[in-house]
Structures are given as structure tokens and as C-alpha cells.
Amino acid sequence: MTIHIAEGDIAARTRSIVADLCFLEGPLLPILHQVQQEFGYVPQQALPVIAEELNLSRAEVHGVMSFYHDYRDHPAGRHVLKLCRAEACQSMGGDALAERIKALLGIDFHQTTLDGSVTLEAVYCLGLCACGPSAMLDGEVYGRVDDQMATELVAEARR
């Protein structure tokens, strides 16, 4: 799935977002969130605009954007499946679950299926440590994910 947005549109829309949020204390994270909400990811063309408008270096903006796992530098699929990779989930079979889901989807972490239906992401805690392994599909959290539930989640995401 390829989305083409004119560079001028990205710059103009990014400037508008910055103007709306620059009054906040520490506005960079909210701005990055809003840019991602607007475009579905944080386009590389938006980073110098944000840096200029906030009087930051491009390296500072890029560093923050690349540090946090929630920000994407490319469009996600129609559905986003996140698997917890934290120690608690790994100790409850998270590695086997990850391999099962990667095999079902035919992709690895940070990839999107060829049909654009699912993006698979690794996260490091969904807050269900007592119910591992856990997953999140489009914002809905699932605990104690076993092979059957993994198959059901993948089938739901493929629709």
C-alpha cells in the first residue's frame, strides 16, 4: 500500500498542527502524535518543518520520533496488531506466539502484509503482565493469547 501526499501538503498541514499545539509545555510529543493521526504515520518531510517551527534541530526531532515505538515512518496497514515482547509475556510463551503470528501473516515485526491489511508491531508492555502473553488489535487488548486466539485475531485482521 503506497500513499502519495504532495510535499507541500505535508508541510502546510504540519505547520497548521504545530500552530495549534505550540502553546503547550513540551509540545513535541503532542505534535508528533497529531501528525501521525493526520497522515497515518510521521512523514520524513514533516520533521524539518516541526524543527523549524519549534526552533529545534532536525536531529532533536528525529531522535524523539525514532526513540518512541508508537511513531511510524511509513503508513500502517488497515489493522495494526501489536504483540507484547516484555519479559512477563515472553515467560508465558510470547516467543512461540510471535513466531506463530509471523507465520500466519507471512511477515516479520514492523512489516505490513502485501495486501495492506495488517501491520505487525512489537511493543514492550501492554499492561497485562499477569495475563500474558498479550496482544492488541486496533486498540483492543487481549490477554492469555493462545494458538486458537492468535488464529482468530489474524483472521479478524485480514478481513
Side-chain angles (χ1 to χ4, degrees):
M1 177 171 70
T2 304
I3 298 173
H4 297 284
I5 303 169
E7 192 166 331
D9 289 346
I10 291 172
R13 290 159 73 186
T14 300
R15 277 192 179 82
S16 175
I17 290 167
V18 173
D20 289 345
L21 300 174
C22 67
F23 66 89
L24 297 172
E25 187 173 334
L28 182 54
L29 292 177
I31 288 168
L32 288 170
H33 280 295
Q34 190 63 39
V35 167
Q36 181 158 294
Q37 185 173 344
E38 177 79 17
F39 299 109
Y41 68 110
V42 180
Q44 287 298 310
Q45 303 93 317
L47 300 182
V49 174
I50 295 168
E52 179 183 328
E53 295 295 317
L54 295 180
N55 197 28
L56 298 171
S57 72
R58 290 181 190 182
E60 288 174 294
V61 177
H62 175 76
V64 169
M65 191 252 168
S66 61
F67 177 80
Y68 291 101
H69 298 288
D70 280 341
Y71 298 123
R72 292 184 202 89
D73 60 0
H74 58 279
R78 291 185 304 278
H79 303 281
V80 177
L81 179 58
K82 297 180 180 188
L83 298 180
C84 181
R85 305 300 296 137
E87 291 82 2
C89 284
Q90 286 186 36
S91 71
M92 297 301 292
D95 288 338
L97 172 66
E99 293 307 312
R100 171 90 171 125
I101 288 180
K102 287 193 281 187
L104 287 169
L105 291 171
I107 58 173
D108 204 344
F109 287 115
H110 310 292
Q111 293 182 344
T112 301
T113 55
L114 291 177
D115 64 0
S117 64
V118 186
T119 296
L120 182 61
E121 295 181 349
V123 294
Y124 295 90
C125 194
L126 290 170
L128 288 178
C129 298
C131 300
S134 60
M136 179 185 285
L137 178 61
D138 297 335
E140 189 169 340
V141 182
Y142 298 86
R144 296 189 176 94
V145 180
D146 57 14
D147 279 350
Q148 180 181 345
M149 187 182 293
T151 302
E152 292 169 6
L153 286 172
V154 168
E156 183 177 331
R158 286 276 194 181
R159 289 186 203 152

